[in-house]
Amino acid sequence: VMPIKGSVYLYGALAGKAGNINPSDLIYRKKQLKSFYLTSWIKSGGSYQMVKRMMSAGNLVNSGLGQGGWCCSQFEDVSMEKAHQSIVEALKSSITGKKLRIRFD
């Protein structure tokens, strides 16, 4: 499903375990598995940058906490094995407002 040279980012442990990874994809198809840890990003770049990033991240998070924000979104869990099938099915109809969360556990 992921294209050659594609990347997938894991944030914290929200995605669960990242299993079923084919080493050939990483080696020969140059696919990447990356991580993002908000605390490290906020602290990087010194005190001035840290304050700017804390304010920016806080504004983004807080704006999504209200009715209809990102915290209220609904998604469907799918396994990596069923991801392609689920995407194809979603594309057959209106996919507005639908979200798929691909689980690696």
Side-chain angles (χ1 to χ4, degrees):
V1 173
M2 187 167 55
I4 292 174
K5 296 185 180 180
S7 298
V8 64
Y9 284 84
L10 297 178
Y11 172 71
L14 295 176
K17 292 183 180 180
N20 300 329
I21 296 171
N22 183 345
S24 294
D25 282 339
L26 301 175
I27 298 166
Y28 302 111
R29 293 178 190 91
K30 299 181 181 180
K31 296 181 181 182
Q32 298 180 5
L33 176 63
K34 299 180 178 185
S35 63
F36 178 78
Y37 186 50
L38 184 63
T39 303
S40 295
W41 175 75
I42 286 175
K43 289 181 177 180
S44 65
S47 298
Y48 178 71
Q49 280 296 101
M50 183 173 74
V51 171
K52 282 178 54 176
R53 289 179 176 169
M54 285 177 64
M55 297 297 289
S56 175
N59 289 336
L60 289 171
V61 169
N62 291 337
S63 66
L65 296 177
Q67 183 67 26
W70 61 265
C71 71
C72 300
S73 64
Q74 299 294 314
F75 52 84
E76 176 186 349
D77 281 335
V78 295
S79 66
M80 190 63 178
E81 294 79 18
K82 294 183 180 178
H84 182 264
Q85 175 187 347
S86 297
I87 292 168
V88 169
E89 288 299 316
L91 290 172
K92 288 181 181 177
S93 63
S94 172
I95 59 172
T96 303
K98 292 184 181 178
K99 296 182 178 98
L100 295 176
R101 180 172 67 172
I102 301 172
R103 301 288 306 215
F104 293 96
D105 52 2

